[in-house]
Amino acid sequence: MSEPAYPDLQLRADGTLCHLLSLDGLPRATLERLLDAAQAIRPQALGGTALRQKLAGHSVCNLFFEPSTRTRSAFHFAATRLGADVLSFDVSTSSTGKGETPLDTLRNLEAMGVDCFVVRAREDGAVAALAAGAKPSTHLINAGDGRHQHPTQGLLDMLTLRQAKGADFSRLSALIVGDIRHSRVARSDIAALRTLGCRDIRVCAPASLLPDAHELHGCTVGHDLDALLDGVDALMMLRLQRERMVEGLVPSLEQYFVDYGLDERRLACAKPDAVVLHPGPMNRGVEISDAVADGPQSLILQQVSNGVAVRMAVMLELLGDARNRQDWVSA
Ligand code: ASP
């Protein structure tokens, strides 16, 4: 997959963020600023009231053309806890079913005063295409486009890693396991890990679930999970994206678990303090065992909590008054 020219759309000439479309090409300073802000916001993210006026007067619309549990809910809570008006637009009962295009849908909602759209789309690049057609004062956040990018998931994964392992990513060994080929999460994570200076990125999947080699430049790539576990600090497990697959890429789910599933025996072969991440939804017994998913090394629910803080930080970056940034970061 070649990376379209998103940096031009998402970054203004002065380096500030206009949309959040991709972590690929996002400067390290911007990435770290968002992570710092999310970390500072975290005490308020799960229900505090100190930030409830920050986005008063703004209107945020969740426009999801694919199913979602965590991302959609986290964006909803993030916008609400910042005091924005929030519309969770139900695509399934909307006029998109009568043939109205996503861009016409967006323009109609813009005409009602929406100035921030959180968009999940089936097609790679679809959110950037909408950003290109939106008003200059409108901000788009990519909540996952096809196999391409899921930038806020990448940010919350980096925040979770930083909390567990510290900010020096150059010392981190990260292993991403599973359906890399169809995973926008893997693409965002790999981009962010590279930008933050991680030098040991390992990826493991059957050959049928790996992307083109150029996408994995600089990564150690293997098919034998047991051979890649030694010295690993963080295991990032991925779901088999069966909705994006043609038949036959995996022989059977049982065999997949035998070859690529993370169980306690395998986890014990990584570093003793290794942590486990998964973006959800999990297929228990396919890519991860119950004992690992619910065990002491799992940070899966911490990722979910961090997801609210990260989305608040992104919205404040896009919509908040930059002059008051210190004010909200220290709230
Ligand atoms: N929830 C993530 C996504 O939307 C991961 C997944 O679906 O497997 O990409």
Side-chain angles (χ1 to χ4, degrees), residues 22 67 97 118 138 163 178 180 185 226 229 257 297-299 315 321:
S22 172
V118 177
T138 299
Q163 288 164 348
I180 320 255
V185 175
D226 293 305
L229 291 167
F257 184 70
Q297 288 165 268
S298 167
L299 299 183
M315 286 184 192
D321 184 346

Side-chain angles (χ1 to χ4, degrees), residues 120 150 184-185 239 241 279-281:
R120 171 165 289 186
H150 193 343
R184 52 198 177 205
V185 175
R239 181 177 67 90
Q241 308 248 325

Side-chain angles (χ1 to χ4, degrees), residues 175 177 202-205 222-232 235 256-270:
L175 170 59
V177 186
R202 310 179 195 183
V203 297
C204 183
H223 309 305
D224 179 354
L225 180 52
D226 293 305
L228 288 167
L229 291 167
D230 188 39
V232 163
L235 288 116
Y256 182 84
F257 184 70
V258 171
D259 295 337
Y260 295 100
L262 185 62
D263 57 12
E264 286 174 299
R265 178 193 68 77
R266 283 201 165 116
L267 182 54
C269 299

Side-chain angles (χ1 to χ4, degrees), residues 142-155:
N142 182 0
D145 60 329
R147 299 164 307 157
H148 174 240
Q149 281 280 317
H150 193 343
T152 55
Q153 179 73 45
L155 287 169

Side-chain angles (χ1 to χ4, degrees), residues 35-52 81-82 159 163 305-306 308-310 312 328-331:
L35 295 178
D36 290 346
Q39 181 65 32
I41 286 166
R42 207 173 179 277
Q44 291 297 320
L46 303 183
T49 54
L51 301 174
R52 296 256 169 179
R81 289 170 188 164
L82 290 169
L159 183 63
Q163 288 164 348
S305 300
N306 281 335
V308 181
V310 156
M312 289 171 84
W328 53 260
V329 165
S330 58

